[in-house]
Amino acid sequence: MARIVMKFGGTSVADLDRIRNVARRVKRQVDAGHEVAVVVSAMSGVTNQLVAWCQALAPLHDAREYDAVVATGEQVTSGLTAIALQEIGVDARSWAGWQIPLFTDGAHGKARIDRIAGETLLARMAAGQVPVVAGFQGIGPDNRVTTLGRGGSDTSAVALAAALRADRCDIYTDVDGIYTTDPRIVARARKLDKIAYEEMLELASVGARVLQTRSVELAMKENVRVQVLSSFKDAPEEGTGGSLVVDEDEIVEQEIVSGIAYSRDEAKITVRRVPDRPGIAAAIFGPLTEANVNVDMIVQNMSADGTTDMTFTVGRADLKLAQATLANASATVGYAEILTDPDVAKISVVGVGMRSHVGVANTMFRTLAEKGINIQVISTSEIKVSVLVGAEYTELAVRALHTAYGLDAA
Ligand code: ADP
Ligand code: ASP
Ligand code: MG
């Protein structure tokens, strides 16, 4: 008998038939004698709609009210899933974040989980009940609902698996595993049976949204066995046939590049003609940090006349907030103007093999050059190279790189 957390994403609970399908899958595990806790996302499209409503009323809305609105999607599906389970004879009960409780910090809209009090759920599970937890949400120090950032139900699931000391955390989604790149834009993407935590972490952080970055971080830290699998395809045995996220040394044949990711969720900001003096980066990025805006790629250009241009990227959803923050800081920074460009995409190649092989970046630059794609910003880490390009080149760039690194399926 195992203890399993089963997480179902938005497309897996998109309508009542799919929720019934989820209930049947859960029942199979319960019937096999396992203790199961379920985590659900909102129906696909619902969170987008809720976010859009907040933005339509006020682009710089109160983050606490944003959370009050966007957390509702998961509330609906957790209740519906519990009803569907009860209908087929499985004892089930829904749980909102505050009821567990799942405590987070106070960063509304992108809160981090501090602690999950798992005792009550464990007792219910031991008594044969299936908790159906609303993903994506928790309760903050201000006693208000918080959400964990887009895609956050993955993190709810992994954190719950850690708190419940589960044997497995199965992430059911609309693809049957983790691929060398997004199978929706590259038909020849290859499914990976196993991927190292570190590679998945890097891929997720640069846009492979199949798992939220924090969920991988947490899985790595807490040693949670995470599997990604399809909620639509039937495997010979429930809970098999997907991709496992594992320690690096469990992977026998390691490729140099294991995956390619893209993100269209970035926006480019250029702060023009700032004084080229010590403290200028702090003057720009300090206020952005205080405003909770994450800055990603950064380049500072050379200049001759004592001023310089600072170019960097932020999440596209944070663009307005970043602009407002920089406008407030204009007196201390002293820039000529702010240019913004939301039509950019970040393309990244990832692989632990880069530690020991040179030339990976060069292959990337050459491949993009051959396709006539201009590179606007570059950033690298030990196992990753990222470039910023015009958004219209996203598919072309990903496909060309997938072929260039020999990743295409036969
Ligand atoms: P869910 O709603 O189940 O959480 P998501 O849409 O968040 O699903 O994540 C699944 C999607 O991630 C897939 O439909 C796929 O388009 C995308 N994706 C991006 N990169 C990858 C990858 N390397 N492997 C598999 N899927 C990927
Ligand atoms: N419903 C939330 C979102 O769309 C959380 C999730 O699906 O993981 O971001
Ligand atoms: Mg997701």
Side-chain angles (χ1 to χ4, degrees):
M1 192 205 87
R3 187 178 295 155
I4 309 167
V5 171
M6 300 172 79
K7 180 258 171 179
F8 295 90
T11 43
S12 309
V13 293
D15 57 39
L16 296 184
D17 271 340
R18 289 186 179 180
I19 289 177
R20 288 188 191 99
N21 170 56
V22 163
R24 281 192 297 271
R25 284 194 181 274
V26 172
K27 185 176 189 315
R28 258 177 256 158
Q29 297 286 29
V30 171
D31 289 348
H34 303 309
E35 276 184 14
V36 181
V38 176
V39 174
V40 288
S41 291
M43 292 182 177
S44 71
V46 166
T47 309
N48 286 347
Q49 176 65 75
L50 296 168
V51 171
W53 281 336
C54 295
Q55 270 161 359
L57 280 178
L60 297 177
H61 44 258
D62 185 324
R64 285 160 296 197
E65 302 311 337
Y66 166 93
D67 277 348
V69 175
V70 302
T72 57
E74 274 73 9
Q75 186 122 351
V76 172
T77 47
S78 59
L80 290 174
T81 305
I83 293 175
L85 281 164
Q86 291 169 0
E87 270 302 287
I88 56 174
V90 178
D91 183 13
R93 182 64 61 210
S94 68
W95 293 82
W98 64 269
Q99 289 173 305
I100 298 175
L102 186 154
F103 296 106
T104 72
D105 66 13
H108 282 279
K110 43 183 122 170
R112 293 184 85 96
I113 299 175
D114 284 336
R115 189 170 67 83
I116 299 180
E119 306 77 36
T120 314
L121 296 191
L122 280 170
R124 298 284 185 107
M125 289 162 78
Q129 194 174 72
V130 174
V132 185
V133 173
F136 185 48
Q137 57 170 265
I139 179 165
D142 56 0
N143 219 19
R144 304 196 68 94
V145 64
T146 51
T147 63
L148 309 178
R150 296 307 304 273
S153 298
D154 297 327
T155 303
S156 308
V158 172
L160 194 65
L164 301 178
R165 293 177 304 283
D167 300 285
R168 271 184 7 231
C169 181
D170 290 345
I171 307 279
Y172 285 86
T173 184
D174 56 357
V175 287
D176 62 352
I178 299 162
Y179 282 72
T180 47
T181 191
D182 188 342
R184 294 196 189 286
I185 73 163
V186 178
R188 280 190 286 185
R190 219 165 2 99
K191 188 170 130 194
L192 301 164
D193 293 331
K194 289 180 178 172
I195 183 165
Y197 283 119
E198 243 187 286
E199 286 173 324
M200 191 60 236
L201 182 62
E202 200 81 52
L203 278 172
S205 74
V206 291
R209 71 171 195 282
V210 61
L211 289 174
Q212 196 199 32
T213 309
R214 278 184 195 162
S215 73
V216 187
E217 219 169 65
L218 203 60
M220 195 162 137
K221 181 162 148 266
E222 302 281 344
N223 233 312
V224 176
R225 213 172 163 76
V226 172
Q227 185 178 206
V228 173
L229 59 185
S230 166
S231 64
F232 303 120
K233 259 200 214 165
D234 277 318
E237 190 191 333
E238 184 65 53
T240 62
S243 301
L244 275 173
V245 190
V246 298
D247 282 325
E248 211 175 297
D249 49 20
E250 270 193 56
I251 295 175
V252 194
E253 271 184 63
Q254 190 68 61
E255 310 274 352
I256 298 171
V257 166
S258 54
I260 297 172
Y262 65 92
S263 166
R264 292 194 187 101
D265 299 334
E266 318 260 322
K268 186 175 74 168
I269 299 181
T270 301
V271 186
R272 292 264 297 128
R273 297 176 59 80
V274 291
D276 197 5
R277 59 165 167 77
I280 200 66
I284 294 174
F285 298 119
L288 290 172
T289 306
E290 266 163 48
N292 239 325
V293 174
N294 286 327
V295 173
D296 182 19
M297 311 170 94
I298 304 177
V299 277
Q300 181 179 341
N301 301 331
M302 281 289 291
S303 89
D305 64 353
T307 74
T308 182
D309 292 351
M310 193 80 87
T311 298
F312 53 92
T313 62
V314 299
R316 198 180 293 184
D318 284 339
L319 181 57
K320 289 223 165 65
L321 178 57
Q323 276 177 293
T325 307
L326 290 169
N328 279 335
S330 80
T332 44
V333 180
Y335 51 80
E337 61 176 332
I338 305 266
L339 304 177
T340 60
D341 182 2
D343 296 318
V344 291
K346 183 172 69 173
I347 315 289
S348 308
V349 299
V350 171
V352 291
M354 280 185 212
R355 289 197 200 108
S356 47
H357 286 78
V358 293
V360 172
N362 204 40
T363 302
M364 183 174 201
F365 305 152
R366 194 174 20 91
T367 306
L368 296 174
E370 279 163 10
K371 297 287 175 194
I373 301 172
N374 185 41
I375 298 173
Q376 304 179 10
V377 187
I378 301 171
S379 72
T380 62
S381 77
E382 198 191 13
I383 65 165
K384 175 202 78 190
V385 187
S386 300
V387 296
L388 197 72
V389 302
E392 67 274 28
Y393 296 116
T394 310
E395 278 92 355
L396 179 63
V398 173
R399 288 199 191 107
L401 292 169
H402 199 263
T403 305
Y405 289 106
L407 296 174
D408 286 355

